[in-house]
Amino acid sequence: DGSCDSGAFEHDACAENRVHNVYLVGPGIYAAPCSLRIGPDFVIGPGGNAIMRAGRRVVFDDTFAIDIWGSLTVVIDPSLLDP
């Protein structure tokens, strides 16, 4: 009959935005409506100041690093989620 029964399957419709190959030595703001993945190869260098904002989650790959005098702020803001 062409119908499809998904049953109890749940799909996480949270789109992931990726930021990679960055060496930050000044200010940087990165935002995503739902999920933000940082890396590979994202480094906050001396004097770097990163702000990461996402509606649901921020995920860091293993190659993420903060050097001395770098700073990081992470904000989970549900108001960014797509309606």
Side-chain angles (χ1 to χ4, degrees), residues 8-75:
F9 177 78
E10 291 185 25
H11 175 69
D12 182 7
C14 187
E16 184 174 86
N17 293 25
R18 182 177 284 269
V19 180
H20 55 89
N21 299 325
V22 173
Y23 187 80
L24 186 67
V25 292
I29 299 174
Y30 305 90
C34 191
S35 178
L36 187 60
R37 179 171 291 273
I38 308 302
D41 302 319
F42 190 107
V43 176
I44 301 172
N49 177 9
I51 299 172
M52 313 291 185
R53 296 182 67 230
R56 187 176 292 168
R57 64 181 162 248
V58 177
V59 179
F60 296 91
D61 284 358
D62 291 342
T63 57
F64 172 80
I66 303 174
D67 287 342
I68 191 168
W69 305 116
S71 68
L72 169 67
T73 302
V74 176
V75 178

